[in-house]
Amino acid sequence: MERGEPADITGDATAETPAGTTPRAHDAPAAMPDNAPAVTVFVCTTCRSSGEAASPVDGAALAEAAAVAPLPDGIAVQGVRCLANCKRSLSAAMVRRDGWTYVFGDLSADAAPDLIAGAALLASSSDGLMPWRGRPDSLKRGMVARIPPLSLPKEP
């Protein structure tokens, strides 16, 4: 492969599935299971506050605090090793089943209640978007990205 050439991440020589063949599982986006929570909050467990050297790592403490907090129905919390948002740590992402995904950074170690409140807002929205009104300030200031669902209809 030459520099600037797109990588073939599927392992296929062509982008299309040849006629008469069945697409493999990795050819299509994975669907969320029907029993998945309405919203899953992923908290980076490897994030460190600036200059932090002691254990536990602030990200792990935030993940633990969010996981043991009282959770509304349909909300789940899961720690993940890295969200690759290191310049804006502490970081978390919220994924809504068949809805938008939000990535947040610059969170404090005590932001667990804000994450749970934001997840509840996202879960209860009628359009799959987290409403601005009622969103905790840390989630307003710390929003890094909003990612559309795979099922988003194409714009005309």
Side-chain angles (χ1 to χ4, degrees), residues 39-97:
V39 173
T40 301
V41 179
F42 293 98
V43 182
C44 180
T45 61
T46 56
C47 277
R48 295 182 181 271
S49 296
S50 61
E52 178 195 338
S55 289
V57 174
D58 281 350
L62 176 58
E64 178 66 20
V68 300
L71 299 174
D73 288 341
I75 307 297
V77 174
Q78 182 176 333
V80 293
R81 285 212 32 91
C82 184
L83 288 174
N85 191 33
C86 303
K87 288 188 179 188
R88 297 209 41 204
S89 67
L90 306 173
S91 297
M94 292 181 195
V95 179
R96 177 175 159 154
R97 181 182 60 222

Side-chain angles (χ1 to χ4, degrees), residues 4-156:
E5 209 176 313
D8 177 18
I9 61 172
T10 65
D12 293 333
T14 64
E16 294 182 24
T17 303
T21 63
T22 304
R24 294 184 308 256
H26 70 270
D27 290 335
M32 289 193 107
D34 290 336
N35 63 348
V39 173
T40 301
V41 179
F42 293 98
V43 182
C44 180
T45 61
T46 56
C47 277
R48 295 182 181 271
S49 296
S50 61
E52 178 195 338
S55 289
V57 174
D58 281 350
L62 176 58
E64 178 66 20
V68 300
L71 299 174
D73 288 341
I75 307 297
V77 174
Q78 182 176 333
V80 293
R81 285 212 32 91
C82 184
L83 288 174
N85 191 33
C86 303
K87 288 188 179 188
R88 297 209 41 204
S89 67
L90 306 173
S91 297
M94 292 181 195
V95 179
R96 177 175 159 154
R97 181 182 60 222
D98 298 326
W100 290 73
T101 295
Y102 289 80
V103 179
F104 299 97
D106 303 321
L107 298 170
S108 65
D110 61 354
D114 291 354
L115 291 173
I116 303 308
L121 281 171
L122 183 57
S124 66
S125 79
S126 60
D127 60 2
L129 294 166
M130 184 186 299
W132 189 258
R133 179 170 297 188
R135 188 183 299 186
D137 285 340
S138 67
L139 302 185
K140 288 180 180 178
R141 289 187 313 270
M143 191 164 87
V144 173
R146 183 178 81 175
I147 303 162
L150 293 172
S151 60
L152 185 70
K154 293 186 181 195
E155 294 183 7

